[in-house]
């Protein structure tokens, strides 16, 4: 029977985090451990905290490592130190509340690793007003027959449209087969309006690029197409944040990239083994994301125009 490794204590920006089972293998491809994961998040501390700061956050936990079962956890796990912050959010469908992790310090992230968290999935709103998003998320989601080259082609069109709007987009790999682009927006609209604006943008990208299929039902979409998933802007819909590790054997990372890197960068280039050195060399490529916010009013005007032209609106979502 293998010996159980002793717990270690990590100093994280002035706070001490106890890490049990540090030698437990979390990523089978290269054998990285729970301790390696904690060191990764420490190395990219500024970036991961910027991506999560003050946002309600769902945790994707892998108690047995990424080869084991995944636990989706909205409520903060029990046993948190008193310095780990939370925010209370409401789920109207069941009229329930949950106190979710609300990161403010790198030690909050490492403590979540202690609780076997690999992936961090924040809301696109913040604790000060959880009902008013300040982040518009463009999710380029390839269907099974689409290639990453197809994702790149749609990303180029999305970039073109953003430039025409005067919006600054911050791209990142998804850590899977797709790509995300984040745009900071003023927190002056609700989730339904942001989702409606995101759909209007997706429709414009679709008019310019035949690879895009916005059919409502997945089964109805062209299997070789890209879905520009505007629904990721709905209430309580979350995706892995910048610098979040994904639950894959290789420990892939949802990594910020520059627009001029998209043509050459591959999703597999970014892992817990490679991103720390990249971060040390380049810093956080999303560091300026809070410096400019795009008013979505032009997109809402597009949505009104499209509704007039087609006589229909996008299907409602139960956003509870």
């Amino acid at each position: 029977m293998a010996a159980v490794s002793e717990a270690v204590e990590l100093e994280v920006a002035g706070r001490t985090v106890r890490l049990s089972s540090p030698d437990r293998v979390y990523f089978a491809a290269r054998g990285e451990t729970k301790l390696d994961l904690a060191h990764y998040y420490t190395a990219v501390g500024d970036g991961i905290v910027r991506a999560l700061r003050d946002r309600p956050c769902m945790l994707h936990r892998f108690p047995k490592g990424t080869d084991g079962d995944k636990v989706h956890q909205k409520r903060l796990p029990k046993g948190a130190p008193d310095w780990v912050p939370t925010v209370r959010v409401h789920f109207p469908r069941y009229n329930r509340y949950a106190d979710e992790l609300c990161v403010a310090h790198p030690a909050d992230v490492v403590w979540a690793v202690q609780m076997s968290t690999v992936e961090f999935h924040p809301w696109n709103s913040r604790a000060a007003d959880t009902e008013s998003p300040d982040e518009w998320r463009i999710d380029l989601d390839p269907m099974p027959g689409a290639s990453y080259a197809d994702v790149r082609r749609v990303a180029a069109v999305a970039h073109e449209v953003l430039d025409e709007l005067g919006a600054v987009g911050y791209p990142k790999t998804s850590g899977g087969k797709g790509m995300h682009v984040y745009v900071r927006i003023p927190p002056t609209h609700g989730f339904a309006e942001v989702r409606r604006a995101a759909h209007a943008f997706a429709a414009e990208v679709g008019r310019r690029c035949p690879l895009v299929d916005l059919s409502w039902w997945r089964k109805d979409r062209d299997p070789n197409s890209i879905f520009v998933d505007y629904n990721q802007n709905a209430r309580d819909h979350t995706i892995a944040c910048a610098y979040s590790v994904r639950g894959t054997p290789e420990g892939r990372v949802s990594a910020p990239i520059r627009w001029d890197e998209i043509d050459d960068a591959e999703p597999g280039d970014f892992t817990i083994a490679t991103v720390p050195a990249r971060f040390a060399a380049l810093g956080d490529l999303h560091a300026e994301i809070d410096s400019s916010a795009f008013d979505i009013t032009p997109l809402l005007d597009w949505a009104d125009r499209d509704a007039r032209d087609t006589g229909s609106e996008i299907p409602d979502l139960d956003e509870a």
Side-chain angles (χ1 to χ4, degrees), residues 7 15 32 38 40-41 57 69 83 104 141 165 208 216 265 301 319:
R15 289 182 178 157
E32 286 103 344
Y40 163 78
Y41 278 124
C57 184
D69 293 337
W83 43 259
D141 181 14
L165 286 165
R208 301 186 189 196
W216 177 249
D301 291 341
E319 296 179 353

Side-chain angles (χ1 to χ4, degrees), residues 67-229:
D67 285 347
D69 293 337
K70 176 165 63 174
V71 178
H72 295 240
Q73 185 143 0
K74 294 185 177 182
R75 290 171 175 80
L76 189 76
K78 294 180 179 178
D82 58 9
W83 43 259
V84 174
T86 61
V87 58
R88 176 157 289 195
V89 292
H90 183 225
F91 299 96
R93 178 185 293 177
Y94 306 106
N95 194 28
R96 292 181 180 176
Y97 294 84
D99 294 320
E100 297 196 6
L101 176 67
C102 191
V103 164
H105 188 279
D108 304 333
V109 177
V110 177
W111 178 82
V113 172
Q114 157 58 14
M115 303 307 294
S116 70
T117 302
V118 173
E119 301 187 12
F120 294 84
H121 290 238
W123 286 38
N124 60 339
S125 61
R126 300 193 195 241
D129 184 357
T130 58
E131 300 306 311
S132 300
D134 73 337
E135 191 165 78
W136 160 31
R137 296 171 175 176
I138 302 164
D139 179 10
L140 307 184
D141 181 14
M143 295 299 102
S147 67
Y148 196 65
D150 295 328
V151 173
R152 290 185 175 111
R153 288 174 59 193
V154 177
V157 177
H159 190 196
E160 173 186 279
V161 179
L162 288 172
D163 280 351
E164 291 176 11
L165 286 165
V168 181
Y170 289 82
K172 66 184 183 70
T173 63
S174 69
K177 298 179 179 179
M179 190 181 300
H180 305 149
V181 182
Y182 286 179
V183 179
R184 193 63 82 238
I185 60 176
T188 53
H189 297 277
F191 288 100
E193 287 182 300
V194 174
R195 174 176 174 262
R196 189 167 181 260
H199 178 268
F201 176 85
E204 179 61 24
V205 174
R207 280 188 281 269
R208 301 186 189 196
C209 182
L211 281 169
V212 172
D213 189 338
L214 297 183
S215 299
W216 177 249
W217 297 110
R218 187 179 182 90
K219 64 180 178 60
D220 294 333
R221 294 178 203 143
D222 183 334
N224 299 309
S225 69
I226 307 296
F227 181 50
V228 183
D229 191 357

